[in-house]
Amino acid sequence: MDATDEHPGEQVKRLQRCISDLISMMTLPAVWSGGDTFQIGRTLIDVLQRMLQLDLIYVQLQGPQGEDTVELARLAQSSTLAMQPAEVGAQLDRLLGSDSQKWPARIEGHIADKNLSIVPLRLGLYSEVGMLVAGDERADFPGQTEELLLRVAANQAAIALHEARLRNEQKRLADELDQRVAQRTRELAGANQQLQLQVGLLQLIPVAAWTVLADGTLDFVNQKWLEYTGHAIEYVLSQPEAWIAAVHPDDQEMASTVFGEGIRRGQDFAMETRFRRARDGAYRWHLNRAVALRDAAGAVVKFVGTSTDIEDLKQFQQELRKTEERTRLIIDTALDAVVTMDAAGTITSWNKQAEAVFGWSSGEAIGRRMSELMIPPSDRLAYEHGLRHLLATGEGPLMRRRIEVTSIRRGGAEFPVELEVMPLNLGEEWVFSAFIRDITDSKRAEEKLRQSELNLREMTETIPEMLWSATPDGTIDYCNARLLDYTGFAAQEIMDNGWTKLLHPDDVELATRAWISSVASGAPYRVEVRTIHAADHMYRWCVTNALPLLDKDGRILKWHGTVVDMHDWKQAQETLRNTQAELANMMRVMTMSQLTASIAHEVNQPLSGIITNASTCLRMLDADPPNIEGARETARRTIRDGNRASEVITRLRALFSKRQATTETVDLNEATREVIELLMSTLSRNRVILRSELAEDLPWVTGDRVQLQQVIMNLLQNATDAMTDVHDRSRQLLIHTQRDEAEHVRLTVQDSGIGLDPQAVGRVFDAFFTTKNGGMGIGLAVSKSIIENHEGRIWAKPNDGPGATFSFSIPPSPSSAFGGRLPTSARKPAVSQPAGGKRNL
């Protein structure tokens, strides 16, 4: 079974087992060499069952011509039904169908009272040599390594069966031909007519056949030979060596030599050459054998020969040699020492790594007992006993699993190794493959790691920070003493019952959700929660952080975290926010004295209008006759001025009232115009020429209208104060709005005053920093706090000429009803107001 999130050490061991199984599997062709179909099938099932422990293995093998089909099946011992291989095969036929090209890679089916995940594999391109079916109850079957082993087993079995069929066919044909030739030789020795009859029979045999006279003259080739080579009989018989034109150019000299030598000596001869196949032009290997026919006196009458196509056998032999070479290379380049031995404990192979590990060369080791070279003297008796037990029962403590044991090098030095022994039962014989890895260095490294972990544990128990760690799946496995002292819980209590009991009930869901997300994604963990404090039995604000420790492949090995008490800091932050709110309100109150004249002017104007309009209305009514229409219009103006006075008072009360911040959709242009109206008298009194450029397509913003107006008023007042001592130029003041980057809204106030010291630009927004005589240094600090609470920024810079520029930028309202712009009816023209002039608002 494959595991996707197992421990790296377990994964290495699993991969080592897979390599061991592959090496054992790739040695099967050598074991099967010369074996029959039944032996191949039985060994295949035995090996797969030992390696994979499956619920079902079924093999159907098509034996060579003349042999019956072999069906073998192996069911798990847990099955309650006993089924014959033919019954299993019938159920599989119903599930898979008769067309092997349409077999699925995997299918679910019910076999032998079990619901199985079934994998069918063809033996041969078109299942011409059989099929292999494996099944298991596991839903994830087959895993990657299981599928690899099954496919390698199927390929090796197909190769062995093909070779067996070709070998059988070759032997059958050779035996048949030898029998026929011998029989015909005896029968043809007496009469030429009978000889001609037998030569005619050569037309009927399924291989290319020919006859040669005693002097080497070709006198007959059968139709099979002519069809294969594409030559006409007339051409072949036209000259003694015409037949050689069908032979590969590289083989012609050798063929001519062997043929001539056989004729000269009058003896049977054989040779392997490549003949050209006419239908595709391919040269294919053939085995050519000739038998001398003799008369009663023993003189050679003629030679009867056959040419058998052995190309497929050649290719299989070549593939087998390549497989054997790959196997040898794999074994010699393996990281493990690979040693094989027979049932007597005698070493039969010894790879390069074994030479390096144990100090014995391959020539020295092969033929000696394994116990003499690798087992310490004190353990040899137990080893011999275990070997005898294995031969008797097929089981043993070293079989098919890696364990740590002690071994010896040449010279007697003992050292630790990991050992795994894989048994293979080949009929009546046992073969054992031992995989040994020198773990001396890893043992030293483990000891150093344990010591390092011990030192780290001692260090973490003494530092004042609260620390903890968790496994890759998020389970807490360690808490240092500082964390335990802080919370009052025992380490085992936290690890057994969960860390959430340390948290305030209202924070458990937030922390759990964040922790699950981090464990799943591998992202760093950070959350602010209230944690129980054992000293006063209260919950205190803490920030918990955790980072994953990753291996080179990015997999989580461990989580390491810290818990930091931030309760006092949180309280200080809350106190600071309350203080800033109080300062903001105080600033509004402080500006009241400065705006008294402006307020009086703003209220006095509508009141004067009311009195004037009322007097005019009375005069119009006293006229003879009364001017009713004029009096009505004058009354309307009186009502207008009264409403205007009421609006002025309402805005002033809102501006200077102490209330909680409210969020609303704000037209920054309109809010700016209202502030300008309030400050117009102050600007006129200070001979300030105000020019306003308010963008018509400005998006609305979301925020507190009064707080934003407080910032605008502060910037305008500061600009006015900065121009108080300017007498050599006009006091120009510009306020304009525009779209900023990322569609933010920007408001800028630019004056022509005394300017900013470049060294002071970075400090103008600090609390209690001021350049004014008698200033408190609070206004700009409060303005910065307001703008930042609106998710914006505020900054200042000196002008290229006289004066300075102050700006702030805040994001637009995300739900603007007009697509981020003011409706046309809400837009107003820019305002330009000289000192002492009328306001154009």
Side-chain angles (χ1 to χ4, degrees), residues 331-338 351-358 436:
I331 293 175
D332 278 344
T333 57
L335 296 178
D336 290 348
V338 181
N351 74 340
K352 296 294 185 183
Q353 189 65 15
E355 293 181 347
V357 170
F358 295 100
I436 308 112

Side-chain angles (χ1 to χ4, degrees), residues 617-672:
C617 182
L618 290 175
R619 287 196 302 273
M620 290 181 176
L621 292 174
D622 289 340
D624 187 16
N627 186 351
I628 300 301
E629 189 61 34
R632 182 181 291 110
E633 180 62 29
T634 305
R636 291 193 186 100
R637 289 197 298 270
T638 301
I639 294 171
R640 180 199 65 191
D641 290 339
N643 288 334
R644 183 180 175 192
S646 176
E647 291 175 356
V648 170
I649 293 172
T650 299
R651 287 199 301 270
L652 292 173
R653 291 184 62 188
L655 183 62
F656 298 115
S657 65
K658 181 179 181 181
R659 62 181 177 83
Q660 294 293 327
T662 58
T663 300
E664 58 183 321
T665 302
V666 179
D667 177 0
L668 193 61
N669 284 346
E670 186 64 30
T672 302

Side-chain angles (χ1 to χ4, degrees), residues 403-469:
I403 62 172
E404 292 185 9
V405 298
T406 301
S407 188
I408 58 172
R409 303 187 200 275
R410 184 171 191 166
E414 297 186 359
F415 65 104
V417 298
E418 280 186 348
L419 170 66
E420 181 178 10
V421 178
M422 298 295 295
L424 187 62
N425 189 352
L426 304 178
E428 300 299 326
E429 297 182 357
W430 283 93
V431 175
F432 304 94
S433 296
F435 302 89
I436 308 112
R437 175 164 294 185
D438 186 345
I439 58 173
T440 303
D441 293 339
S442 62
K443 280 291 187 181
R444 292 171 182 166
E446 287 177 3
E447 181 60 31
K448 290 182 179 179
L449 179 60
R450 281 193 294 269
Q451 188 61 43
S452 298
E453 290 178 346
L454 178 61
N455 295 338
L456 178 61
R457 182 65 58 88
E458 292 177 352
M459 182 178 67
T460 57
E461 291 296 337
T462 57
I463 63 176
E465 282 74 16
M466 292 181 280
L467 305 176
W468 57 276
S469 65

Side-chain angles (χ1 to χ4, degrees), residues 250-264:
D250 293 344
D251 300 339
Q252 290 178 0
E253 182 178 355
M254 179 273 297
S256 179
T257 300
V258 174
F259 180 84
E261 185 67 17
I263 298 297
R264 185 183 65 79

Side-chain angles (χ1 to χ4, degrees), residues 228-249:
Y228 191 93
T229 62
H231 291 304
I233 185 65
E234 293 78 14
Y235 171 75
V236 176
L237 300 178
S238 64
Q239 51 182 320
E241 293 192 355
W243 61 270
I244 207 166
V247 179
H248 192 286

Side-chain angles (χ1 to χ4, degrees), residues 376-392:
S378 58
D379 298 333
R380 289 175 185 171
L381 184 61
Y383 163 79
E384 297 291 349
H385 175 75
L387 180 60
R388 289 192 296 271
H389 176 74
L390 172 65
L391 294 175

Side-chain angles (χ1 to χ4, degrees), residues 597-615:
S598 295
I599 295 171
H601 178 75
E602 291 295 325
V603 177
N604 187 55
Q605 272 194 337
L607 291 178
S608 298
I610 292 171
I611 295 172
T612 301
N613 290 331
S615 298

